[in-house]
Amino acid sequence: MSISQRNDLTLSGHAGQHALAVAEAHGVGTMWTLSGAHVFPLYDAVVKAESPTRIVDVRHEQTAVFGAEATAKLTREPGLVVLTAGPGVTNGVSGIAQACFSGVPLLAVGGRAPAWRWGTGALQELDHPPLLAPVTKLSTTAHKAADVGPVVDRALSVARSAHRGPVFVDVPMDELYSFADVTLELTPPAPRPEPDPDSLTAVATLIGEARHPVVVLGSDVWMDGAEEAALRFADETGIPVVANGMGRGVLPKGHRLLVNRARSAAFKNADLVVVVGTPLDFRLGFGTFGGSDGAPPAKVVHVADSPDGLATHVELAASAAGDLTLVLDGILTAMRATRRWDDWANELRDQAAAAVERDAPLLASEGEPIHPARVYGELNRVLEDDAVVIGDGGDFVSWAGKLIEPGRPGCWLDPGPYGCLGAGAGAAAAARLARPGSQVVLLYGDGAAGMSLMDVDTLVRHDLPVVMVVGNNGAWGLEKHPMRFLYGYDVAADLRPETGYDAVVEALGGAGETVTEPGDIGPALRRAFDAGVPYLVNVQCDPKVAYPRSTTGI
């Protein structure tokens, strides 16, 4: 039962039951975990209550966290991961950090050594909250059984409030097993901030004065439920749009104003860039745009879902913060003139079309070893509009970011600004659960595959068929090519060439095949989608091909 339907709970039984009841009231529907005795009461709560919550047990805690994070991204409800004490918690830190950088509402519940044994060297005794504090909105211990429900309630309220993010609560083992009776009034998330009308007018004025405006749509547009307002804003203003992260798909592929393929020209020639729902980080040149041919730098407007998300490292011409639907609709209302930028939009659209035409030979390349772009040329032929595409890799996935456009919002998952590899298997499992009727495609670099491929076992055990495509070039390509550029050699950048990752999947109960010829990619993908089991297409790619990137992120 969601928190919007009831605002009070009478909690009885052991503390694990309290935690589950509160989590379900806040919209949690899946518990991601790897078994540990410190947290058994949480499993018992699901089983004894015949709860609708599904337990997904995995082979590594990082997969559990990434699964919970992807669940939150796809459903826009809080993700829940349960981690046993000590190494269970520390194994999950990278995934929690990714959720922090991506603004994802995630509750991590950790086991903890018994309170009555604390300080004596009990198994896996570690004070976790200080470790998690830098990458969470709240990191605390519920010290007594009666505290568990109220602390979990507070944590989930914090996680769901703007700006969203992960929270951590651990519970001493003896208290988690203990019984208590508690009546709790649930805490909803803080109301979404309402934007200042004067700030909306200021942004509207700047847009009205611009000759070459560009709008950037980021992940928070999706997470804030503002995708319809963003599409409306684009359609009614006619301003060209660049999308990143989960902002991709808000303007579906083929939309006349989507100019991702002319991104460089758009940013170079813009005189105003309005960035909505994403930080001004390395992915956006740290907020520096324009300045081509001696022109002054572009003015920058930053729009965030909360005031603390606004950039402070760059001079802003204006800013607005609050519920992103209210912000976008408010700016639109404040604008007096619309559709003044047809020539500019047409110019960028022509450049985007030219970029597509330039890449056509790569998408159809007959080269052997296979050019990675050919993989995406074939994948584009079979992807449906509602397919969920997951990127977990460096160079190989960078090609996907360039050549794949989602057909709908909420259908693109990548590591976000934290850039953490190893998220793929958990994200794929989450996508199959969240979107049972959609294609789910996990794009693996062969380096990233090594970080989570064992969790194909999880996909098999839980009957979660997904398609995995490995761009197998036998290298950490994202490091190998820059190192050779800098030093003339590379070291610690090679993997075993032509490794049979498909054989690993077969050994774990799935299926797959190796592809060495370009013409075999398409048929292999069709077999993968028809298989009904986790299926890996292991594509032997040319190790000499480097993605032509323009930034290192530094």
Short mmCIF file of all heavy atoms in Angstrom, two decimals, residues 9-56:
data_model
loop_
_atom_site.label_atom_id
_atom_site.label_comp_id
_atom_site.label_asym_id
_atom_site.label_seq_id
_atom_site.Cartn_x
_atom_site.Cartn_y
_atom_site.Cartn_z
N LEU A 9 0.76 3.40 10.29
CA LEU A 9 0.97 1.96 10.34
C LEU A 9 1.04 1.52 11.79
O LEU A 9 1.64 2.20 12.62
CB LEU A 9 2.28 1.58 9.66
CG LEU A 9 2.37 1.57 8.13
CD1 LEU A 9 3.78 1.23 7.70
CD2 LEU A 9 1.38 0.59 7.53
N THR A 10 0.44 0.37 12.08
CA THR A 10 0.64 -0.29 13.36
C THR A 10 1.58 -1.45 13.11
O THR A 10 1.26 -2.38 12.37
CB THR A 10 -0.69 -0.79 13.95
OG1 THR A 10 -1.55 0.34 14.17
CG2 THR A 10 -0.46 -1.51 15.26
N LEU A 11 2.78 -1.35 13.67
CA LEU A 11 3.83 -2.33 13.42
C LEU A 11 3.91 -3.29 14.59
O LEU A 11 3.97 -2.87 15.74
CB LEU A 11 5.17 -1.61 13.23
CG LEU A 11 5.22 -0.55 12.12
CD1 LEU A 11 6.55 0.17 12.15
CD2 LEU A 11 4.96 -1.18 10.76
N SER A 12 3.94 -4.58 14.27
CA SER A 12 4.14 -5.60 15.31
C SER A 12 5.07 -6.65 14.75
O SER A 12 5.42 -6.64 13.57
CB SER A 12 2.80 -6.23 15.73
OG SER A 12 2.17 -6.83 14.60
N GLY A 13 5.48 -7.58 15.61
CA GLY A 13 6.41 -8.61 15.18
C GLY A 13 7.85 -8.14 15.34
O GLY A 13 8.14 -7.17 16.05
N HIS A 14 8.77 -8.82 14.65
CA HIS A 14 10.18 -8.46 14.80
C HIS A 14 10.52 -7.26 13.92
O HIS A 14 9.75 -6.84 13.04
CB HIS A 14 11.08 -9.67 14.51
CG HIS A 14 10.91 -10.28 13.15
ND1 HIS A 14 11.21 -9.64 11.98
CD2 HIS A 14 10.47 -11.53 12.79
CE1 HIS A 14 10.99 -10.42 10.96
NE2 HIS A 14 10.52 -11.58 11.41
N ALA A 15 11.71 -6.72 14.14
CA ALA A 15 12.08 -5.46 13.48
C ALA A 15 12.20 -5.62 11.97
O ALA A 15 12.01 -4.64 11.22
CB ALA A 15 13.38 -4.94 14.06
N GLY A 16 12.51 -6.81 11.49
CA GLY A 16 12.52 -7.02 10.05
C GLY A 16 11.16 -6.81 9.44
O GLY A 16 11.03 -6.26 8.33
N GLN A 17 10.12 -7.23 10.16
CA GLN A 17 8.75 -7.00 9.68
C GLN A 17 8.42 -5.51 9.67
O GLN A 17 7.72 -5.03 8.77
CB GLN A 17 7.77 -7.78 10.55
CG GLN A 17 7.92 -9.30 10.39
CD GLN A 17 7.13 -10.08 11.43
OE1 GLN A 17 7.29 -9.84 12.64
NE2 GLN A 17 6.32 -11.02 11.00
N HIS A 18 8.91 -4.80 10.66
CA HIS A 18 8.68 -3.35 10.69
C HIS A 18 9.31 -2.69 9.46
O HIS A 18 8.68 -1.86 8.80
CB HIS A 18 9.31 -2.75 11.96
CG HIS A 18 8.67 -3.18 13.24
ND1 HIS A 18 8.81 -2.48 14.40
CD2 HIS A 18 7.89 -4.25 13.56
CE1 HIS A 18 8.16 -3.07 15.38
NE2 HIS A 18 7.60 -4.16 14.89
N ALA A 19 10.55 -3.05 9.16
CA ALA A 19 11.25 -2.43 8.04
C ALA A 19 10.54 -2.72 6.73
O ALA A 19 10.38 -1.82 5.88
CB ALA A 19 12.69 -2.95 7.98
N LEU A 20 10.09 -3.96 6.54
CA LEU A 20 9.42 -4.30 5.30
C LEU A 20 8.11 -3.54 5.14
O LEU A 20 7.80 -3.01 4.07
CB LEU A 20 9.17 -5.80 5.23
CG LEU A 20 8.42 -6.26 3.98
CD1 LEU A 20 9.29 -6.10 2.74
CD2 LEU A 20 7.94 -7.71 4.13
N ALA A 21 7.31 -3.48 6.21
CA ALA A 21 6.02 -2.81 6.13
C ALA A 21 6.19 -1.34 5.75
O ALA A 21 5.44 -0.80 4.93
CB ALA A 21 5.28 -2.94 7.46
N VAL A 22 7.18 -0.69 6.34
CA VAL A 22 7.41 0.72 6.04
C VAL A 22 7.90 0.88 4.60
O VAL A 22 7.46 1.77 3.87
CB VAL A 22 8.41 1.32 7.04
CG1 VAL A 22 8.82 2.72 6.61
CG2 VAL A 22 7.80 1.36 8.44
N ALA A 23 8.81 0.01 4.18
CA ALA A 23 9.33 0.11 2.81
C ALA A 23 8.21 -0.07 1.79
O ALA A 23 8.12 0.68 0.81
CB ALA A 23 10.43 -0.93 2.59
N GLU A 24 7.35 -1.03 2.01
CA GLU A 24 6.24 -1.24 1.08
C GLU A 24 5.30 -0.04 1.06
O GLU A 24 4.77 0.34 0.01
CB GLU A 24 5.48 -2.51 1.45
CG GLU A 24 6.26 -3.78 1.14
CD GLU A 24 5.51 -5.05 1.48
OE1 GLU A 24 4.52 -4.98 2.27
OE2 GLU A 24 5.90 -6.11 0.98
N ALA A 25 5.09 0.58 2.21
CA ALA A 25 4.23 1.76 2.26
C ALA A 25 4.81 2.91 1.46
O ALA A 25 4.07 3.79 0.99
CB ALA A 25 4.01 2.19 3.71
N HIS A 26 6.12 2.92 1.29
CA HIS A 26 6.77 3.97 0.50
C HIS A 26 6.93 3.58 -0.97
O HIS A 26 7.59 4.30 -1.72
CB HIS A 26 8.14 4.28 1.09
CG HIS A 26 8.10 5.24 2.24
ND1 HIS A 26 8.18 6.61 2.09
CD2 HIS A 26 7.99 5.01 3.58
CE1 HIS A 26 8.13 7.20 3.26
NE2 HIS A 26 8.01 6.25 4.20
N GLY A 27 6.36 2.46 -1.38
CA GLY A 27 6.37 2.09 -2.79
C GLY A 27 7.37 1.05 -3.20
O GLY A 27 7.50 0.74 -4.38
N VAL A 28 8.11 0.48 -2.26
CA VAL A 28 9.09 -0.56 -2.59
C VAL A 28 8.37 -1.85 -2.97
O VAL A 28 7.42 -2.26 -2.31
CB VAL A 28 10.03 -0.80 -1.40
CG1 VAL A 28 10.87 -2.07 -1.61
CG2 VAL A 28 10.94 0.40 -1.18
N GLY A 29 8.84 -2.50 -4.04
CA GLY A 29 8.23 -3.75 -4.46
C GLY A 29 9.21 -4.88 -4.69
O GLY A 29 8.80 -6.02 -4.91
N THR A 30 10.52 -4.59 -4.64
CA THR A 30 11.53 -5.60 -4.86
C THR A 30 12.65 -5.43 -3.84
O THR A 30 13.10 -4.31 -3.60
CB THR A 30 12.12 -5.51 -6.28
OG1 THR A 30 11.06 -5.60 -7.25
CG2 THR A 30 13.13 -6.62 -6.53
N MET A 31 13.08 -6.54 -3.26
CA MET A 31 14.20 -6.55 -2.33
C MET A 31 15.38 -7.23 -3.01
O MET A 31 15.31 -8.41 -3.35
CB MET A 31 13.84 -7.29 -1.04
CG MET A 31 14.97 -7.36 -0.01
SD MET A 31 14.56 -8.43 1.41
CE MET A 31 13.20 -7.52 2.15
N TRP A 32 16.47 -6.49 -3.22
CA TRP A 32 17.68 -7.02 -3.81
C TRP A 32 18.66 -7.37 -2.69
O TRP A 32 18.86 -6.57 -1.78
CB TRP A 32 18.30 -6.00 -4.75
CG TRP A 32 17.42 -5.64 -5.90
CD1 TRP A 32 16.40 -4.74 -5.92
CD2 TRP A 32 17.47 -6.22 -7.21
NE1 TRP A 32 15.80 -4.71 -7.15
CE2 TRP A 32 16.44 -5.60 -7.97
CE3 TRP A 32 18.28 -7.18 -7.81
CZ2 TRP A 32 16.22 -5.93 -9.30
CZ3 TRP A 32 18.05 -7.50 -9.14
CH2 TRP A 32 17.03 -6.88 -9.88
N THR A 33 19.27 -8.55 -2.78
CA THR A 33 20.10 -8.98 -1.65
C THR A 33 21.04 -10.10 -2.02
O THR A 33 20.90 -10.72 -3.10
CB THR A 33 19.19 -9.42 -0.48
OG1 THR A 33 19.97 -9.53 0.71
CG2 THR A 33 18.51 -10.75 -0.78
N LEU A 34 22.01 -10.34 -1.16
CA LEU A 34 22.82 -11.57 -1.14
C LEU A 34 22.77 -12.05 0.31
O LEU A 34 23.07 -11.30 1.23
CB LEU A 34 24.25 -11.29 -1.59
CG LEU A 34 25.12 -12.52 -1.91
CD1 LEU A 34 26.26 -12.12 -2.84
CD2 LEU A 34 25.69 -13.16 -0.66
N SER A 35 22.41 -13.29 0.49
CA SER A 35 22.04 -13.80 1.80
C SER A 35 23.14 -13.64 2.85
O SER A 35 24.33 -13.83 2.58
CB SER A 35 21.68 -15.28 1.68
OG SER A 35 21.17 -15.75 2.91
N GLY A 36 22.71 -13.28 4.06
CA GLY A 36 23.60 -13.18 5.21
C GLY A 36 22.78 -13.25 6.48
O GLY A 36 21.69 -12.69 6.57
N ALA A 37 23.30 -13.95 7.49
CA ALA A 37 22.54 -14.18 8.71
C ALA A 37 22.20 -12.89 9.45
O ALA A 37 21.20 -12.84 10.18
CB ALA A 37 23.32 -15.12 9.64
N HIS A 38 23.02 -11.86 9.29
CA HIS A 38 22.73 -10.59 9.97
C HIS A 38 21.38 -10.00 9.54
O HIS A 38 20.82 -9.18 10.27
CB HIS A 38 23.83 -9.57 9.68
CG HIS A 38 25.13 -9.86 10.34
ND1 HIS A 38 26.09 -10.67 9.78
CD2 HIS A 38 25.64 -9.45 11.54
CE1 HIS A 38 27.14 -10.73 10.58
NE2 HIS A 38 26.89 -10.01 11.66
N VAL A 39 20.87 -10.38 8.36
CA VAL A 39 19.65 -9.75 7.85
C VAL A 39 18.53 -10.75 7.59
O VAL A 39 17.54 -10.43 6.93
CB VAL A 39 19.96 -8.95 6.55
CG1 VAL A 39 20.84 -7.75 6.87
CG2 VAL A 39 20.63 -9.83 5.49
N PHE A 40 18.62 -11.96 8.14
CA PHE A 40 17.58 -12.96 7.95
C PHE A 40 16.17 -12.46 8.27
O PHE A 40 15.21 -12.83 7.59
CB PHE A 40 17.87 -14.21 8.80
CG PHE A 40 18.87 -15.17 8.18
CD1 PHE A 40 19.26 -16.29 8.91
CD2 PHE A 40 19.40 -14.96 6.92
CE1 PHE A 40 20.18 -17.19 8.37
CE2 PHE A 40 20.31 -15.85 6.38
CZ PHE A 40 20.70 -16.98 7.11
N PRO A 41 15.97 -11.64 9.32
CA PRO A 41 14.60 -11.22 9.63
C PRO A 41 13.92 -10.47 8.48
O PRO A 41 12.68 -10.52 8.36
CB PRO A 41 14.77 -10.31 10.86
CG PRO A 41 16.00 -10.84 11.53
CD PRO A 41 16.91 -11.22 10.39
N LEU A 42 14.67 -9.80 7.63
CA LEU A 42 14.06 -9.11 6.50
C LEU A 42 13.50 -10.11 5.50
O LEU A 42 12.43 -9.89 4.90
CB LEU A 42 15.06 -8.17 5.84
CG LEU A 42 15.35 -6.93 6.68
CD1 LEU A 42 16.75 -6.41 6.44
CD2 LEU A 42 14.32 -5.85 6.38
N TYR A 43 14.20 -11.23 5.30
CA TYR A 43 13.67 -12.28 4.43
C TYR A 43 12.45 -12.94 5.07
O TYR A 43 11.45 -13.23 4.40
CB TYR A 43 14.73 -13.34 4.14
CG TYR A 43 16.08 -12.84 3.70
CD1 TYR A 43 17.24 -13.55 4.02
CD2 TYR A 43 16.23 -11.66 2.98
CE1 TYR A 43 18.48 -13.12 3.62
CE2 TYR A 43 17.47 -11.21 2.58
CZ TYR A 43 18.60 -11.94 2.90
OH TYR A 43 19.84 -11.51 2.51
N ASP A 44 12.56 -13.20 6.36
CA ASP A 44 11.45 -13.83 7.09
C ASP A 44 10.19 -12.99 6.98
O ASP A 44 9.08 -13.52 6.85
CB ASP A 44 11.84 -14.02 8.55
CG ASP A 44 10.75 -14.69 9.37
OD1 ASP A 44 10.50 -15.89 9.13
OD2 ASP A 44 10.16 -14.01 10.23
N ALA A 45 10.36 -11.66 6.99
CA ALA A 45 9.21 -10.77 6.88
C ALA A 45 8.49 -10.96 5.56
O ALA A 45 7.24 -10.99 5.50
CB ALA A 45 9.66 -9.31 7.03
N VAL A 46 9.25 -11.11 4.48
CA VAL A 46 8.63 -11.31 3.17
C VAL A 46 7.89 -12.65 3.13
O VAL A 46 6.75 -12.74 2.68
CB VAL A 46 9.70 -11.25 2.05
CG1 VAL A 46 9.09 -11.60 0.70
CG2 VAL A 46 10.35 -9.87 2.01
N VAL A 47 8.54 -13.69 3.62
CA VAL A 47 7.96 -15.04 3.54
C VAL A 47 6.73 -15.16 4.44
O VAL A 47 5.67 -15.65 4.02
CB VAL A 47 9.02 -16.09 3.92
CG1 VAL A 47 8.38 -17.49 4.00
CG2 VAL A 47 10.16 -16.08 2.91
N LYS A 48 6.84 -14.72 5.68
CA LYS A 48 5.75 -14.92 6.65
C LYS A 48 4.53 -14.07 6.30
O LYS A 48 3.39 -14.46 6.57
CB LYS A 48 6.25 -14.56 8.06
CG LYS A 48 7.31 -15.50 8.60
CD LYS A 48 6.72 -16.84 9.00
CE LYS A 48 7.81 -17.80 9.51
NZ LYS A 48 8.48 -17.30 10.72
N ALA A 49 4.76 -12.90 5.73
CA ALA A 49 3.63 -12.02 5.41
C ALA A 49 3.01 -12.34 4.07
O ALA A 49 2.03 -11.71 3.66
CB ALA A 49 4.10 -10.56 5.42
N GLU A 50 3.56 -13.33 3.36
CA GLU A 50 3.15 -13.57 1.97
C GLU A 50 3.12 -12.24 1.22
O GLU A 50 2.18 -11.90 0.51
CB GLU A 50 1.79 -14.27 1.92
CG GLU A 50 1.80 -15.65 2.58
CD GLU A 50 0.46 -16.35 2.47
OE1 GLU A 50 -0.49 -15.73 1.99
OE2 GLU A 50 0.40 -17.52 2.87
N SER A 51 4.20 -11.52 1.38
CA SER A 51 4.31 -10.15 0.87
C SER A 51 4.38 -10.12 -0.65
O SER A 51 4.92 -11.03 -1.28
CB SER A 51 5.56 -9.49 1.46
OG SER A 51 5.87 -8.32 0.78
N PRO A 52 3.86 -9.05 -1.26
CA PRO A 52 4.02 -8.89 -2.71
C PRO A 52 5.45 -8.52 -3.10
O PRO A 52 5.79 -8.55 -4.28
CB PRO A 52 3.05 -7.75 -3.04
CG PRO A 52 2.94 -6.96 -1.78
CD PRO A 52 3.02 -7.98 -0.68
N THR A 53 6.27 -8.15 -2.11
CA THR A 53 7.65 -7.83 -2.42
C THR A 53 8.38 -9.08 -2.90
O THR A 53 8.27 -10.15 -2.32
CB THR A 53 8.36 -7.27 -1.17
OG1 THR A 53 7.79 -6.00 -0.84
CG2 THR A 53 9.85 -7.09 -1.41
N ARG A 54 9.13 -8.91 -3.96
CA ARG A 54 9.89 -10.00 -4.54
C ARG A 54 11.33 -9.93 -4.06
O ARG A 54 11.93 -8.86 -4.04
CB ARG A 54 9.86 -9.93 -6.07
CG ARG A 54 10.68 -11.01 -6.76
CD ARG A 54 10.44 -11.04 -8.25
NE ARG A 54 11.16 -12.14 -8.89
CZ ARG A 54 10.88 -12.61 -10.10
NH1 ARG A 54 9.88 -12.09 -10.79
NH2 ARG A 54 11.59 -13.61 -10.61
N ILE A 55 11.88 -11.07 -3.64
CA ILE A 55 13.29 -11.14 -3.26
C ILE A 55 14.09 -11.58 -4.48
O ILE A 55 13.80 -12.64 -5.07
CB ILE A 55 13.52 -12.12 -2.10
CG1 ILE A 55 12.79 -11.66 -0.83
CG2 ILE A 55 15.01 -12.27 -1.83
CD1 ILE A 55 12.90 -12.64 0.32
N VAL A 56 15.08 -10.80 -4.86
CA VAL A 56 16.01 -11.18 -5.92
C VAL A 56 17.39 -11.32 -5.28
O VAL A 56 18.00 -10.33 -4.88
CB VAL A 56 16.04 -10.14 -7.06
CG1 VAL A 56 17.00 -10.61 -8.16
CG2 VAL A 56 14.65 -9.92 -7.63
#
